[in-house]
Amino acid sequence: MTKFSDLGLHPKVLSAVSDAGYETPTPIQAGAIPPALQGRDVLGIAQTGTGKTASFTLPMITMLARGRARARMPRSLVLAPTRELAAQVAENFDIYAKNTKLTKALLIGGVSFKEQDALIDKGVDVLIATPGRLLDHFERGKLLLTGVQIMVVDEADRMLDMGFIPDIEKIFQLTPFTRQTLFFSATMAPEIERITNTFLSNPEKIEVARAATTSENIKQGVVLFKSSRKDRQAKEKRMVLRSLIDSEGEACTNAIIFCNRKTEVDIVAKSLNKHGYNAAAIHGDLDQAHRMRTLDGFRDGSIRFLCASDVAARGLDIPNVSHVFNYDVPTHSEDYVHRIGRTGRAGRKGTAMMICVPADEKYLAQIEDLVKQEIPRIETPELPEAPSRSRRKPRDEDGEKPANKGRKPREKSEEAAEKPAEEKRENRSRSRRGGRGNGRSQGEPVVGLGDHVPAFLLRSFKAPKPEPKVEAESEPAPAEGAAETEENGSN
Ligand code: AMP
């Protein structure tokens, strides 16, 4: 078996690695470090959880140990798709470079330019950045990329999803042609292949197996859940989530709960808190300081449940996550692999549970195709009985009125959003023609009455009194057409 000491790393790096408690290199480290140290380009097909951050950071530190940084001209550059990932690479760098005098700067959105400018002015060995922020600095004339000897692109497939590929190409062109490139992606989409063919020179290709197909330490399960009534689906799904959490008892020390939409992330976090579970939300609409605080809270255990969207949680390395709950089935099967990879890290055991409603069964099938296994079915937990509708507007266990009166149920609006525009227009005009009083303009014929419209039908009615506000567990239906499944502005 390969040992770290066989890889050619600097003794100061080796001692930091040993202090970090690593005994043997992971396959991506054993594969990528030797060619990187020889100065070759590397194309690593690996995802987070495989140890890939160290596979590029350790050789970088070794190679940069000789030489000095010059003002405004970083010697190496690491590009990451999100602020959190960039911050995580920076943390890893601090651990592995602790015995050296190498300096770094982190250029990410949400942090003031002034501080970052001051560091760059002094000269840094390693610049870790999100693409947008890096280009902002460059365009302000504060930064020169002509001194970059090593450039790392991390999570290239995520960059592609987030629309950063043009930025990456631009950055490649601003760095010297002679640079060494270490490029990492979990998948090789055709666009990624094109970029690597253009910007990498005869790379050493290292591919490591997917976590989802190899990670036997993650116990997986899925509940096929059908709600008692369609308009109660969201609420009952939250009950299922709580039952799943409860069924795990103390084994569930903490968990990341993934939702497909940012609004859902907020709703689920709010609901859990309301029911006494200690939860917080993280997604791209929250400001950077807030996201960092939440992550720190989750890391140090003061927050037990982290409700997250894919982008916000992508690649986050939190070593001790006991459970992942997929509150929604991800619509891109790749995301399932990434999500469940948040647990069972570094050889630990983990549990990943998912709730699948009938409309999502097609996505479940795609996931099972991808991971080449059937995800074991978990019996639907028994839910408290739905409140009777005959009594006087009783509040249900979530504090919401049973029929969710006065607001459009979410499922309805989503269904409507899926209808072709043509059909929607037709429905609107139909309801204008035949609907109840309010929507109809005076003089419009009433179907079925010929030209004669009794006067009482044309009278305008007093607007109904607004329903009392529903607290906490609100379910705002997303504005029609506002597809906000995932943020892409977290750069
Ligand atoms: P990454 O894929 O870079 O996000 O790393 C996943 C986790 O594995 C991190 O918590 C690392 O600290 C840890 N790790 C990286 N390399 C090793 C290793 N050789 N042995 C044990 N743990 C490691």
Side-chain angles (χ1 to χ4, degrees), residues 92-205:
N92 274 254
F93 175 83
D94 286 343
I95 296 170
Y96 307 136
K98 67 174 191 172
N99 301 322
T100 72
K101 290 202 171 74
L102 295 177
T103 54
K104 65 144 208 297
L106 180 62
L107 298 192
I108 53 176
V111 180
S112 94
F113 275 95
K114 215 172 141 199
E115 244 172 69
Q116 301 176 325
D117 278 346
L119 282 171
I120 294 170
D121 275 349
K122 266 203 275 174
V124 289
D125 297 294
V126 183
L127 189 58
I128 302 162
T130 49
R133 191 62 165 207
L134 181 83
L135 286 173
D136 283 350
H137 274 267
F138 181 80
E139 278 152 18
R140 290 165 71 243
K142 295 286 182 186
L143 179 65
L144 285 169
L145 295 176
T146 43
V148 170
Q149 298 156 25
I150 308 166
M151 172 161 158
V152 178
V153 178
D154 195 13
E155 305 247 350
D157 50 340
R158 202 56 178 183
M159 305 250 197
L160 176 68
D161 288 350
M162 295 170 76
F164 292 157
I165 293 298
D167 285 352
I168 299 294
E169 289 189 71
K170 202 164 167 189
I171 296 167
F172 263 125
Q173 279 152 359
L174 297 171
T175 59
F177 177 67
T178 50
R179 64 159 199 273
Q180 177 183 9
T181 309
L182 311 175
F183 191 101
F184 293 83
S185 184
T187 55
M188 283 302 282
E191 185 66 356
I192 303 281
E193 186 114 34
R194 184 185 66 76
I195 298 283
T196 58
N197 290 340
T198 313
F199 295 105
L200 272 64
S201 151
N202 184 28
E204 174 82 22
K205 192 170 165 186

Side-chain angles (χ1 to χ4, degrees), residues 231-236 238 264 267 327 398 400 404 407-411 470-478:
D231 63 332
R232 293 188 56 88
Q233 178 170 291
K235 191 193 314 289
E236 290 183 359
R238 294 193 293 269
E264 203 81 59
I267 292 168
Y327 178 78
D398 262 351
E400 222 176 276
N404 202 10
R407 271 179 294 121
K408 209 157 77 165
R410 179 185 197 89
E411 289 75 19
V470 178
E471 6 121 355
E473 277 277 39
S474 66
E475 247 182 66

Side-chain angles (χ1 to χ4, degrees), residues 4 22 24-26 29 47-54 96 317 345-346:
F4 273 110
Y22 305 168
T24 47
T26 64
Q29 290 162 0
Q47 57 185 45
T48 97
T50 53
K52 73 175 162 55
T53 316
Y96 307 136
D317 178 33
R345 288 170 86 76

